[in-house]
Amino acid sequence: MAVFHRRLREGTWSRQDFLAAVRQFQHDDLTGFWTWLPVDGFIMRAAAETFATLPPTVFLRSSDCIHLVTALKHDFTEFLTFDAHQTLAATALGLTPVTG
């Protein structure tokens, strides 16, 4: 939802576009299109540990870190993202970013 809201805030999407994306996401969620992986204490500790060891040159937002360490915990080697910061952080953590 945050990326949808960012597109609305930045003017990339109209309010109508935003609401259409929200409805589609909600529909996909309710019909089981998405597979949600649990966020547990291990993930949160791994995220904190990641920040403790991350080089100061890597920009990483907390929600992006949670996504990346979740991928690592579940043995993913690739990570789909359309975000430049997340792409660089994925590489720094040993994941191969797939940018579409």
Side-chain angles (χ1 to χ4, degrees):
M1 289 297 178
V3 72
F4 298 162
H5 188 263
R6 178 176 37 177
R7 289 176 186 245
L8 174 66
R9 180 177 40 83
E10 292 174 349
T12 306
W13 284 356
S14 68
R15 184 66 145 161
Q16 185 176 357
D17 296 331
F18 169 74
L19 293 174
V22 168
R23 283 190 301 274
Q24 183 65 54
F25 181 84
Q26 290 171 335
H27 174 267
D28 291 346
D29 183 33
L30 290 171
T31 59
F33 179 79
W34 299 105
T35 300
W36 299 106
L37 301 174
V39 176
D40 55 19
F42 176 87
I43 295 293
M44 300 311 286
R45 285 187 297 280
E49 212 172 279
T50 297
F51 280 109
T53 59
L54 199 63
T57 56
V58 177
F59 177 86
L60 184 60
R61 294 170 291 239
S62 58
S63 59
D64 291 342
C65 186
I66 291 167
H67 282 106
L68 291 166
V69 298
T70 300
L72 289 169
K73 178 186 178 190
H74 291 278
D75 299 321
F76 287 90
T77 58
E78 297 180 329
F79 189 87
L80 177 64
T81 181
F82 298 98
D83 181 271
H85 294 298
Q86 199 174 44
T87 297
L88 294 172
T91 301
L93 296 178
L95 291 164
T96 301
V98 176
T99 57

Coordinates of all heavy atoms in Angstrom, one line a residue:
M1 N 0.8 -1.2 0.0 CA 0.0 0.0 0.0 C 0.9 1.3 0.0 O 0.5 2.3 -0.6 CB -0.9 0.0 1.2 CG -2.0 -1.0 1.2 SD -3.1 -0.7 -0.2 CE -4.2 -2.0 0.0
A2 N 2.0 1.2 0.7 CA 2.9 2.4 0.7 C 3.4 2.8 -0.6 O 3.4 4.0 -0.9 CB 4.1 2.1 1.7
V3 N 3.7 1.8 -1.5 CA 4.2 2.2 -2.8 C 3.0 2.8 -3.6 O 3.2 3.7 -4.4 CB 4.8 1.0 -3.6 CG1 3.8 0.0 -4.0 CG2 5.6 1.5 -4.7
F4 N 1.8 2.3 -3.4 CA 0.6 2.9 -4.1 C 0.5 4.4 -3.6 O 0.2 5.3 -4.4 CB -0.6 2.1 -3.8 CG -0.6 0.7 -4.3 CD1 -1.6 -0.2 -3.8 CD2 0.3 0.2 -5.2 CE1 -1.6 -1.5 -4.2 CE2 0.2 -1.1 -5.7 CZ -0.7 -2.0 -5.1
H5 N 0.6 4.5 -2.3 CA 0.4 5.9 -1.8 C 1.5 6.8 -2.2 O 1.2 8.0 -2.5 CB 0.3 5.8 -0.2 CG -0.1 7.2 0.3 ND1 0.9 8.0 0.8 CD2 -1.3 7.7 0.5 CE1 0.3 9.1 1.2 NE2 -1.0 9.0 1.1
R6 N 2.7 6.3 -2.4 CA 3.8 7.1 -2.8 C 3.5 7.6 -4.3 O 3.8 8.8 -4.6 CB 5.1 6.4 -2.8 CG 6.3 7.2 -3.3 CD 7.6 6.5 -3.2 NE 7.5 5.1 -3.4 CZ 8.6 4.3 -3.4 NH1 9.8 4.7 -3.2 NH2 8.4 3.0 -3.7
R7 N 3.0 6.7 -5.1 CA 2.7 7.1 -6.5 C 1.6 8.2 -6.5 O 1.6 9.1 -7.3 CB 2.3 5.9 -7.3 CG 3.5 5.0 -7.6 CD 3.0 3.8 -8.3 NE 4.2 2.9 -8.5 CZ 4.7 2.6 -9.6 NH1 4.3 3.1 -10.7 NH2 5.7 1.7 -9.6
L8 N 0.6 8.1 -5.6 CA -0.4 9.1 -5.5 C 0.2 10.4 -5.0 O 0.0 11.5 -5.6 CB -1.5 8.7 -4.5 CG -2.6 9.7 -4.1 CD1 -3.4 10.0 -5.3 CD2 -3.4 9.2 -3.0
R9 N 1.0 10.4 -3.9 CA 1.7 11.5 -3.3 C 2.6 12.3 -4.3 O 2.6 13.5 -4.4 CB 2.5 11.1 -2.1 CG 3.2 12.3 -1.4 CD 3.9 11.8 -0.1 NE 4.5 10.5 -0.2 CZ 5.8 10.3 -0.7 NH1 6.5 11.3 -1.2 NH2 6.3 9.1 -0.7
E10 N 3.3 11.5 -5.1 CA 4.2 12.1 -6.1 C 3.6 12.6 -7.4 O 4.2 13.2 -8.2 CB 5.4 11.1 -6.4 CG 6.3 10.8 -5.2 CD 7.3 9.7 -5.5 OE1 7.2 9.0 -6.5 OE2 8.2 9.6 -4.7
G11 N 2.3 12.3 -7.5 CA 1.5 12.7 -8.7 C 1.6 11.8 -9.9 O 1.1 12.1 -11.0
T12 N 2.2 10.6 -9.7 CA 2.3 9.6 -10.8 C 1.0 9.0 -11.1 O 0.7 8.7 -12.2 CB 3.3 8.5 -10.4 OG1 4.6 9.1 -10.0 CG2 3.5 7.5 -11.5
W13 N 0.2 8.8 -10.0 CA -1.2 8.3 -10.2 C -2.2 9.3 -9.7 O -2.0 10.1 -8.8 CB -1.3 7.1 -9.3 CG -0.7 5.8 -9.8 CD1 -0.1 5.6 -11.0 CD2 -0.7 4.6 -9.2 NE1 0.4 4.3 -11.1 CE2 0.0 3.7 -10.0 CE3 -1.1 4.1 -7.9 CZ2 0.2 2.3 -9.7 CZ3 -0.9 2.8 -7.6 CH2 -0.2 1.9 -8.5
S14 N -3.4 9.3 -10.4 CA -4.5 10.1 -9.9 C -5.1 9.3 -8.7 O -4.8 8.2 -8.4 CB -5.5 10.2 -11.0 OG -6.1 9.0 -11.3
R15 N -6.1 10.0 -8.0 CA -6.8 9.3 -6.9 C -7.5 8.1 -7.5 O -7.6 7.0 -6.8 CB -7.8 10.3 -6.3 CG -8.5 9.8 -5.1 CD -7.5 9.6 -4.1 NE -8.1 9.8 -2.8 CZ -7.5 9.3 -1.7 NH1 -6.4 8.6 -1.8 NH2 -7.9 9.6 -0.5
Q16 N -8.1 8.2 -8.7 CA -8.8 7.1 -9.3 C -7.8 5.9 -9.6 O -8.1 4.7 -9.3 CB -9.4 7.5 -10.6 CG -10.3 6.5 -11.2 CD -11.0 7.0 -12.5 OE1 -10.9 8.2 -12.8 NE2 -11.7 6.1 -13.2
D17 N -6.6 6.2 -10.1 CA -5.6 5.1 -10.3 C -5.2 4.5 -9.0 O -5.1 3.2 -8.9 CB -4.3 5.7 -10.9 CG -4.5 6.3 -12.3 OD1 -5.4 5.8 -13.0 OD2 -3.8 7.2 -12.6
F18 N -5.0 5.3 -7.9 CA -4.7 4.8 -6.6 C -5.7 3.8 -6.1 O -5.4 2.7 -5.7 CB -4.5 6.0 -5.7 CG -4.4 5.6 -4.2 CD1 -3.2 5.0 -3.7 CD2 -5.4 5.8 -3.3 CE1 -3.1 4.6 -2.4 CE2 -5.3 5.5 -2.0 CZ -4.1 4.9 -1.5
L19 N -7.0 4.3 -6.1 CA -8.1 3.4 -5.6 C -8.2 2.1 -6.4 O -8.6 1.1 -5.9 CB -9.4 4.2 -5.6 CG -9.4 5.4 -4.6 CD1 -10.7 6.2 -4.7 CD2 -9.2 4.9 -3.2
A20 N -8.0 2.2 -7.7 CA -8.1 1.0 -8.6 C -7.0 0.0 -8.1 O -7.3 -1.2 -8.0 CB -7.9 1.4 -10.0
A21 N -5.8 0.5 -7.9 CA -4.7 -0.4 -7.4 C -5.0 -1.0 -6.1 O -4.7 -2.2 -5.8 CB -3.4 0.4 -7.4
V22 N -5.6 -0.2 -5.2 CA -5.9 -0.7 -3.8 C -7.0 -1.8 -4.0 O -6.9 -2.9 -3.4 CB -6.5 0.5 -2.9 CG1 -7.1 -0.1 -1.7 CG2 -5.3 1.4 -2.6
R23 N -8.0 -1.6 -4.8 CA -9.0 -2.6 -5.0 C -8.4 -3.9 -5.6 O -8.8 -5.0 -5.1 CB -10.2 -2.0 -5.9 CG -11.1 -1.1 -5.2 CD -12.3 -0.8 -6.0 NE -12.0 -0.2 -7.3 CZ -11.8 1.1 -7.5 NH1 -11.9 2.0 -6.6 NH2 -11.5 1.5 -8.8
Q24 N -7.6 -3.7 -6.6 CA -7.0 -4.9 -7.2 C -6.1 -5.7 -6.2 O -6.2 -6.9 -6.1 CB -6.1 -4.5 -8.4 CG -5.5 -5.7 -9.1 CD -6.5 -6.6 -9.8 OE1 -7.4 -6.1 -10.5 NE2 -6.5 -7.9 -9.5
F25 N -5.3 -4.9 -5.4 CA -4.5 -5.6 -4.3 C -5.4 -6.3 -3.3 O -5.1 -7.5 -3.0 CB -3.6 -4.5 -3.6 CG -2.8 -5.2 -2.6 CD1 -1.5 -5.7 -2.9 CD2 -3.1 -5.2 -1.3 CE1 -0.7 -6.3 -2.0 CE2 -2.3 -5.8 -0.3 CZ -1.1 -6.3 -0.7
Q26 N -6.4 -5.7 -2.9 CA -7.3 -6.3 -1.9 C -8.0 -7.6 -2.5 O -8.1 -8.6 -1.9 CB -8.4 -5.3 -1.4 CG -7.8 -4.3 -0.6 CD -8.8 -3.1 -0.3 OE1 -9.7 -2.9 -1.0 NE2 -8.6 -2.4 0.9
H27 N -8.4 -7.5 -3.8 CA -9.0 -8.6 -4.5 C -8.0 -9.8 -4.6 O -8.3 -10.9 -4.3 CB -9.5 -8.2 -5.9 CG -9.9 -9.4 -6.7 ND1 -9.1 -10.1 -7.5 CD2 -11.2 -10.0 -6.7 CE1 -9.8 -11.0 -8.1 NE2 -11.0 -11.0 -7.6
D28 N -6.8 -9.4 -5.0 CA -5.7 -10.5 -5.1 C -5.4 -11.1 -3.8 O -5.2 -12.3 -3.7 CB -4.4 -9.9 -5.7 CG -4.6 -9.5 -7.1 OD1 -5.6 -9.9 -7.8 OD2 -3.7 -8.7 -7.6
D29 N -5.4 -10.3 -2.7 CA -5.2 -10.8 -1.4 C -6.3 -11.8 -1.0 O -6.0 -12.9 -0.5 CB -5.0 -9.7 -0.4 CG -4.7 -10.2 1.0 OD1 -4.0 -11.2 1.2 OD2 -5.1 -9.5 2.0
L30 N -7.5 -11.4 -1.1 CA -8.6 -12.2 -0.7 C -8.8 -13.5 -1.5 O -9.2 -14.5 -1.0 CB -9.9 -11.4 -0.8 CG -10.1 -10.3 0.2 CD1 -11.3 -9.4 -0.2 CD2 -10.2 -10.8 1.6
T31 N -8.3 -13.5 -2.8 CA -8.4 -14.7 -3.6 C -7.2 -15.6 -3.5 O -7.1 -16.6 -4.2 CB -8.7 -14.3 -5.1 OG1 -7.7 -13.5 -5.5 CG2 -10.1 -13.6 -5.2
G32 N -6.2 -15.2 -2.7 CA -5.1 -16.1 -2.4 C -3.9 -15.9 -3.4 O -3.1 -16.8 -3.5
F33 N -3.9 -14.8 -4.2 CA -2.9 -14.6 -5.1 C -1.5 -14.5 -4.5 O -0.5 -15.0 -4.9 CB -3.2 -13.4 -6.0 CG -2.1 -13.1 -7.0 CD1 -2.0 -13.8 -8.2 CD2 -1.2 -12.1 -6.8 CE1 -1.0 -13.5 -9.1 CE2 -0.2 -11.8 -7.7 CZ -0.1 -12.5 -8.9
W34 N -1.5 -13.8 -3.3 CA -0.2 -13.5 -2.6 C 0.0 -14.7 -1.6 O -0.9 -15.2 -1.0 CB -0.3 -12.2 -1.8 CG -0.5 -11.0 -2.7 CD1 -1.7 -10.3 -2.9 CD2 0.5 -10.5 -3.6 NE1 -1.5 -9.4 -3.9 CE2 -0.2 -9.4 -4.3 CE3 1.8 -10.7 -3.9 CZ2 0.5 -8.6 -5.2 CZ3 2.5 -10.0 -4.8 CH2 1.8 -8.9 -5.5
T35 N 1.3 -15.0 -1.4 CA 1.7 -15.9 -0.4 C 2.4 -15.1 0.7 O 3.5 -14.5 0.4 CB 2.6 -17.0 -0.9 OG1 1.9 -17.7 -2.0 CG2 3.1 -18.0 0.2
W36 N 1.9 -15.0 1.8 CA 2.4 -14.2 2.9 C 3.4 -15.0 3.7 O 3.0 -16.1 4.2 CB 1.3 -13.6 3.8 CG 0.4 -12.7 3.0 CD1 -0.8 -12.9 2.6 CD2 0.8 -11.4 2.4 NE1 -1.3 -11.9 1.8 CE2 -0.4 -10.9 1.7 CE3 1.9 -10.6 2.4 CZ2 -0.4 -9.7 1.1 CZ3 1.9 -9.4 1.8 CH2 0.7 -8.9 1.1
L37 N 4.6 -14.6 3.9 CA 5.5 -15.3 4.8 C 5.5 -14.6 6.2 O 5.4 -13.4 6.3 CB 7.0 -15.2 4.2 CG 7.1 -15.8 2.8 CD1 8.5 -15.5 2.2 CD2 6.8 -17.3 2.8
P38 N 5.6 -15.4 7.2 CA 5.5 -14.8 8.6 C 6.7 -14.0 8.9 O 7.8 -14.2 8.6 CB 5.4 -16.1 9.5 CG 6.0 -17.1 8.7 CD 5.8 -16.9 7.2
V39 N 6.3 -12.9 9.7 CA 7.4 -12.0 10.3 C 7.4 -12.4 11.7 O 6.4 -12.2 12.4 CB 7.1 -10.6 10.0 CG1 8.1 -9.7 10.7 CG2 7.1 -10.2 8.5
D40 N 8.5 -13.0 12.2 CA 8.5 -13.4 13.6 C 9.7 -12.8 14.3 O 10.4 -11.9 13.7 CB 8.6 -14.9 13.6 CG 9.8 -15.5 12.8 OD1 10.7 -14.8 12.5 OD2 9.8 -16.7 12.5
G41 N 10.0 -13.2 15.5 CA 11.1 -12.6 16.2 C 12.5 -12.8 15.6 O 13.3 -12.0 15.6
F42 N 12.6 -14.0 14.9 CA 13.9 -14.2 14.2 C 14.1 -13.1 13.1 O 15.2 -12.6 13.0 CB 13.8 -15.6 13.5 CG 15.1 -15.9 12.6 CD1 16.2 -16.4 13.2 CD2 15.0 -15.6 11.3 CE1 17.3 -16.6 12.4 CE2 16.2 -15.8 10.5 CZ 17.3 -16.3 11.1
I43 N 13.0 -12.8 12.3 CA 13.1 -11.8 11.3 C 13.5 -10.5 11.9 O 14.4 -9.8 11.4 CB 11.8 -11.7 10.5 CG1 11.5 -13.0 9.7 CG2 11.8 -10.5 9.5 CD1 12.5 -13.3 8.6
M44 N 12.8 -10.1 13.0 CA 13.1 -8.8 13.6 C 14.6 -8.7 14.1 O 15.2 -7.7 14.0 CB 12.1 -8.5 14.7 CG 10.7 -8.4 14.2 SD 10.4 -7.4 12.7 CE 10.6 -5.8 13.4
R45 N 15.0 -9.8 14.7 CA 16.4 -9.8 15.2 C 17.4 -9.8 14.0 O 18.4 -9.1 14.1 CB 16.6 -11.1 16.1 CG 16.0 -11.0 17.5 CD 16.4 -12.1 18.4 NE 16.0 -13.4 17.9 CZ 14.7 -13.9 18.1 NH1 13.8 -13.2 18.7 NH2 14.4 -15.1 17.6
A46 N 17.1 -10.5 13.0 CA 17.9 -10.5 11.8 C 18.0 -9.1 11.2 O 19.1 -8.7 10.7 CB 17.5 -11.5 10.8
A47 N 16.9 -8.4 11.2 CA 16.9 -7.0 10.6 C 17.7 -6.1 11.5 O 18.5 -5.3 11.0 CB 15.4 -6.5 10.6
A48 N 17.6 -6.3 12.8 CA 18.4 -5.4 13.7 C 19.9 -5.8 13.5 O 20.8 -4.9 13.5 CB 18.0 -5.7 15.2
E49 N 20.2 -7.0 13.4 CA 21.6 -7.5 13.2 C 22.1 -6.9 11.8 O 23.3 -6.6 11.7 CB 21.7 -9.0 13.2 CG 22.9 -9.6 13.7 CD 22.8 -11.1 13.9 OE1 22.2 -11.5 14.9 OE2 23.3 -11.8 12.9
T50 N 21.3 -6.9 10.8 CA 21.7 -6.4 9.5 C 22.1 -4.9 9.6 O 23.1 -4.5 9.1 CB 20.5 -6.6 8.5 OG1 20.3 -8.0 8.4 CG2 20.9 -6.0 7.2
F51 N 21.3 -4.2 10.3 CA 21.7 -2.7 10.5 C 23.0 -2.6 11.3 O 23.8 -1.7 11.0 CB 20.5 -2.0 11.2 CG 19.4 -1.6 10.2 CD1 18.2 -2.2 10.3 CD2 19.6 -0.6 9.3 CE1 17.2 -1.9 9.4 CE2 18.6 -0.3 8.4 CZ 17.4 -0.9 8.5
A52 N 23.2 -3.5 12.2 CA 24.4 -3.4 13.0 C 25.7 -3.7 12.2 O 26.8 -3.3 12.6 CB 24.3 -4.4 14.2
T53 N 25.5 -4.5 11.1 CA 26.7 -4.9 10.4 C 26.8 -4.3 9.0 O 27.7 -4.4 8.2 CB 26.7 -6.4 10.2 OG1 25.5 -6.8 9.6 CG2 26.8 -7.1 11.6
L54 N 25.7 -3.5 8.6 CA 25.6 -3.0 7.2 C 26.7 -1.8 7.1 O 26.8 -1.0 8.0 CB 24.2 -2.4 7.0 CG 23.8 -2.2 5.6 CD1 23.7 -3.5 4.8 CD2 22.4 -1.6 5.6
P55 N 27.4 -1.8 6.0 CA 28.3 -0.7 5.7 C 27.5 0.7 5.7 O 26.4 0.7 5.3 CB 28.9 -0.9 4.3 CG 28.6 -2.4 4.1 CD 27.4 -2.7 4.9
P56 N 28.1 1.7 6.2 CA 27.4 3.0 6.3 C 27.1 3.6 4.9 O 26.3 4.5 4.8 CB 28.4 3.9 7.0 CG 29.8 3.3 6.9 CD 29.5 1.8 6.7
T57 N 27.6 3.1 3.8 CA 27.3 3.6 2.5 C 26.0 3.0 1.9 O 25.6 3.5 0.9 CB 28.5 3.2 1.5 OG1 28.7 1.8 1.6 CG2 29.7 3.9 2.0
V58 N 25.4 2.0 2.6 CA 24.2 1.4 2.1 C 23.0 2.0 2.8 O 22.9 2.0 4.0 CB 24.2 -0.2 2.3 CG1 22.9 -0.8 1.9 CG2 25.4 -0.8 1.6
F59 N 22.1 2.6 2.0 CA 20.9 3.2 2.4 C 19.8 2.1 2.5 O 19.6 1.4 1.5 CB 20.4 4.3 1.5 CG 19.1 4.9 1.9 CD1 19.0 5.9 2.8 CD2 17.9 4.4 1.3 CE1 17.8 6.5 3.1 CE2 16.7 5.0 1.7 CZ 16.7 6.1 2.6
L60 N 19.2 1.9 3.7 CA 18.2 0.8 3.8 C 17.2 1.3 4.8 O 17.4 1.6 6.0 CB 18.9 -0.5 4.4 CG 18.1 -1.7 4.5 CD1 17.4 -2.1 3.2 CD2 18.9 -2.9 5.0
R61 N 15.9 1.3 4.3 CA 14.8 1.6 5.2 C 14.4 0.3 6.0 O 14.6 -0.8 5.5 CB 13.6 2.0 4.3 CG 13.9 3.4 3.6 CD 12.8 3.7 2.6 NE 12.9 2.7 1.5 CZ 13.1 3.1 0.2 NH1 13.2 4.3 -0.1 NH2 13.2 2.2 -0.7
S62 N 13.8 0.5 7.1 CA 13.5 -0.6 8.0 C 12.5 -1.6 7.3 O 12.7 -2.8 7.4 CB 12.9 -0.1 9.3 OG 11.7 0.6 9.1
S63 N 11.5 -1.1 6.6 CA 10.6 -2.1 6.0 C 11.3 -2.9 4.9 O 11.0 -4.0 4.7 CB 9.3 -1.4 5.5 OG 9.7 -0.4 4.5
D64 N 12.2 -2.2 4.1 CA 12.9 -2.9 3.1 C 13.8 -4.0 3.7 O 14.0 -5.1 3.2 CB 13.8 -1.9 2.3 CG 13.0 -1.0 1.4 OD1 11.8 -1.3 1.2 OD2 13.5 0.1 1.0
C65 N 14.4 -3.6 4.8 CA 15.3 -4.6 5.5 C 14.5 -5.8 5.9 O 14.9 -7.0 5.8 CB 15.9 -4.0 6.8 SG 17.1 -5.0 7.6
I66 N 13.3 -5.6 6.5 CA 12.4 -6.8 6.9 C 12.1 -7.6 5.7 O 12.2 -8.9 5.7 CB 11.1 -6.3 7.6 CG1 11.5 -5.6 8.9 CG2 10.1 -7.4 7.7 CD1 10.4 -4.9 9.6
H67 N 11.8 -7.0 4.5 CA 11.5 -7.8 3.3 C 12.8 -8.6 2.9 O 12.7 -9.8 2.5 CB 11.1 -6.9 2.2 CG 9.7 -6.4 2.2 ND1 9.4 -5.1 2.6 CD2 8.6 -7.1 2.0 CE1 8.1 -5.0 2.5 NE2 7.6 -6.2 2.2
L68 N 13.9 -8.0 2.9 CA 15.2 -8.6 2.5 C 15.5 -9.8 3.4 O 15.9 -10.9 2.9 CB 16.3 -7.6 2.4 CG 16.1 -6.6 1.2 CD1 17.1 -5.4 1.4 CD2 16.3 -7.2 -0.1
V69 N 15.5 -9.6 4.7 CA 15.9 -10.7 5.6 C 14.8 -11.8 5.6 O 15.2 -12.9 5.8 CB 16.2 -10.2 7.1 CG1 17.4 -9.2 7.1 CG2 15.0 -9.6 7.7
T70 N 13.6 -11.5 5.3 CA 12.6 -12.5 5.1 C 12.9 -13.4 3.9 O 12.9 -14.6 4.0 CB 11.2 -11.9 5.0 OG1 10.9 -11.2 6.2 CG2 10.1 -13.0 4.8
A71 N 13.3 -12.7 2.9 CA 13.8 -13.5 1.7 C 14.9 -14.4 2.0 O 15.0 -15.6 1.6 CB 14.1 -12.5 0.5
L72 N 15.9 -13.8 2.7 CA 17.1 -14.6 3.1 C 16.7 -15.8 4.0 O 17.2 -16.9 3.8 CB 18.1 -13.8 3.8 CG 18.8 -12.7 2.9 CD1 19.6 -11.8 3.8 CD2 19.7 -13.4 1.9
K73 N 15.8 -15.6 4.9 CA 15.4 -16.7 5.9 C 14.7 -17.8 5.1 O 14.9 -19.0 5.4 CB 14.5 -16.1 6.9 CG 14.0 -17.3 7.8 CD 12.9 -16.8 8.8 CE 12.5 -18.0 9.7 NZ 11.3 -17.8 10.5
H74 N 14.0 -17.5 4.1 CA 13.3 -18.5 3.3 C 14.1 -19.0 2.1 O 13.5 -19.6 1.2 CB 11.9 -18.0 2.9 CG 11.0 -17.8 4.1 ND1 10.3 -18.9 4.6 CD2 10.7 -16.7 4.9 CE1 9.6 -18.4 5.7 NE2 9.9 -17.1 5.8
D75 N 15.4 -18.7 2.1 CA 16.3 -19.2 1.1 C 16.1 -18.8 -0.3 O 16.4 -19.5 -1.3 CB 16.4 -20.8 1.1 CG 16.9 -21.3 2.5 OD1 17.8 -20.7 3.1 OD2 16.3 -22.3 3.0
F76 N 15.5 -17.6 -0.5 CA 15.4 -17.0 -1.8 C 16.8 -16.5 -2.2 O 17.6 -16.0 -1.4 CB 14.5 -15.8 -1.8 CG 13.0 -16.2 -1.7 CD1 12.4 -16.3 -0.5 CD2 12.3 -16.4 -2.8 CE1 11.1 -16.7 -0.4 CE2 11.0 -16.8 -2.8 CZ 10.3 -16.9 -1.5
T77 N 17.1 -16.6 -3.5 CA 18.4 -16.1 -4.0 C 18.2 -14.8 -4.8 O 19.1 -14.0 -5.0 CB 19.1 -17.1 -4.9 OG1 18.3 -17.5 -5.9 CG2 19.5 -18.3 -4.0
E78 N 16.9 -14.6 -5.3 CA 16.6 -13.4 -6.1 C 15.5 -12.7 -5.3 O 14.7 -13.2 -4.5 CB 16.0 -13.8 -7.4 CG 17.0 -14.5 -8.3 CD 16.5 -14.9 -9.7 OE1 15.2 -15.2 -9.8 OE2 17.2 -15.0 -10.6
F79 N 15.4 -11.4 -5.6 CA 14.5 -10.5 -4.9 C 13.9 -9.5 -5.9 O 14.7 -8.7 -6.5 CB 15.2 -9.7 -3.8 CG 14.3 -9.0 -2.9 CD1 13.8 -9.6 -1.8 CD2 14.1 -7.7 -3.1 CE1 12.9 -8.9 -0.9 CE2 13.2 -7.0 -2.3 CZ 12.7 -7.6 -1.2
L80 N 12.6 -9.5 -6.1 CA 12.0 -8.6 -7.1 C 11.8 -7.2 -6.4 O 11.2 -7.1 -5.3 CB 10.6 -9.1 -7.5 CG 9.8 -8.2 -8.5 CD1 10.6 -8.1 -9.8 CD2 8.4 -8.8 -8.7
T81 N 12.2 -6.2 -7.1 CA 12.1 -4.9 -6.5 C 12.1 -3.8 -7.7 O 12.7 -4.1 -8.7 CB 13.2 -4.5 -5.5 OG1 12.9 -3.2 -5.0 CG2 14.6 -4.6 -6.1
F82 N 11.4 -2.7 -7.5 CA 11.4 -1.6 -8.5 C 12.0 -0.4 -7.8 O 11.7 0.7 -8.2 CB 10.0 -1.4 -9.0 CG 9.5 -2.6 -9.8 CD1 8.6 -3.5 -9.1 CD2 9.8 -2.8 -11.1 CE1 8.1 -4.6 -9.8 CE2 9.4 -3.9 -11.8 CZ 8.5 -4.8 -11.1
D83 N 12.7 -0.6 -6.7 CA 13.2 0.5 -5.9 C 14.8 0.5 -6.0 O 15.4 -0.5 -5.7 CB 12.8 0.4 -4.5 CG 13.2 1.5 -3.6 OD1 14.3 1.4 -3.0 OD2 12.5 2.5 -3.4
A84 N 15.3 1.7 -6.3 CA 16.8 1.8 -6.5 C 17.5 1.5 -5.2 O 18.6 0.8 -5.2 CB 17.2 3.1 -7.0
H85 N 17.0 2.0 -4.0 CA 17.7 1.8 -2.8 C 17.6 0.3 -2.4 O 18.6 -0.3 -1.9 CB 17.1 2.6 -1.6 CG 17.3 4.1 -1.8 ND1 18.5 4.7 -1.9 CD2 16.4 5.1 -2.0 CE1 18.4 6.0 -2.0 NE2 17.1 6.2 -2.1
Q86 N 16.5 -0.3 -2.6 CA 16.3 -1.7 -2.2 C 17.2 -2.6 -3.1 O 17.7 -3.6 -2.7 CB 14.8 -2.1 -2.3 CG 14.5 -3.4 -1.5 CD 13.0 -3.6 -1.5 OE1 12.3 -3.5 -2.5 NE2 12.5 -4.0 -0.3
T87 N 17.3 -2.2 -4.4 CA 18.2 -3.0 -5.3 C 19.6 -3.0 -4.8 O 20.2 -4.1 -4.7 CB 18.1 -2.3 -6.7 OG1 16.8 -2.4 -7.2 CG2 19.1 -3.0 -7.7
L88 N 20.1 -1.9 -4.4 CA 21.5 -1.8 -3.9 C 21.7 -2.6 -2.6 O 22.6 -3.3 -2.3 CB 21.9 -0.4 -3.7 CG 22.1 0.4 -5.0 CD1 22.3 1.9 -4.7 CD2 23.2 -0.1 -5.9
A89 N 20.7 -2.5 -1.7 CA 20.7 -3.2 -0.4 C 20.6 -4.7 -0.6 O 21.3 -5.5 0.1 CB 19.6 -2.7 0.5
A90 N 19.8 -5.1 -1.6 CA 19.7 -6.6 -1.8 C 21.0 -7.1 -2.3 O 21.5 -8.2 -1.8 CB 18.6 -6.8 -2.9
T91 N 21.7 -6.4 -3.1 CA 23.0 -6.8 -3.6 C 24.0 -6.9 -2.4 O 24.8 -7.8 -2.3 CB 23.6 -5.9 -4.7 OG1 22.6 -5.8 -5.7 CG2 24.9 -6.3 -5.2
A92 N 23.9 -5.9 -1.5 CA 24.8 -5.9 -0.4 C 24.6 -7.0 0.6 O 25.5 -7.5 1.3 CB 24.7 -4.5 0.4
L93 N 23.4 -7.6 0.6 CA 23.0 -8.7 1.4 C 23.2 -10.0 0.7 O 22.9 -11.1 1.3 CB 21.6 -8.5 2.0 CG 21.4 -7.3 2.9 CD1 20.0 -7.2 3.3 CD2 22.3 -7.4 4.1
G94 N 23.6 -10.0 -0.5 CA 23.9 -11.3 -1.2 C 22.7 -11.8 -2.0 O 22.7 -12.9 -2.5
L95 N 21.7 -11.0 -2.2 CA 20.5 -11.4 -3.0 C 20.7 -10.8 -4.4 O 21.3 -9.7 -4.6 CB 19.2 -10.8 -2.4 CG 18.7 -11.5 -1.1 CD1 17.7 -10.7 -0.5 CD2 18.2 -12.9 -1.4
T96 N 20.2 -11.5 -5.4 CA 20.3 -11.0 -6.8 C 19.0 -10.2 -7.0 O 17.9 -10.8 -7.0 CB 20.4 -12.1 -7.8 OG1 21.6 -12.8 -7.5 CG2 20.4 -11.6 -9.2
P97 N 19.1 -8.9 -7.2 CA 17.9 -8.1 -7.5 C 17.3 -8.3 -8.9 O 18.1 -8.4 -9.8 CB 18.3 -6.6 -7.3 CG 19.8 -6.7 -7.5 CD 20.3 -8.0 -7.1
V98 N 16.0 -8.5 -9.0 CA 15.3 -8.6 -10.2 C 14.5 -7.4 -10.3 O 13.6 -7.1 -9.5 CB 14.4 -9.9 -10.3 CG1 13.7 -10.0 -11.6 CG2 15.3 -11.1 -10.1
T99 N 14.7 -6.6 -11.3 CA 14.1 -5.3 -11.4 C 13.0 -5.2 -12.4 O 12.6 -4.1 -12.8 CB 15.1 -4.2 -11.6 OG1 15.9 -4.4 -12.8 CG2 16.1 -4.1 -10.4
G100 N 12.5 -6.3 -12.9 CA 11.4 -6.3 -13.8 C 11.8 -6.5 -15.2 O 11.8 -6.8 -16.1

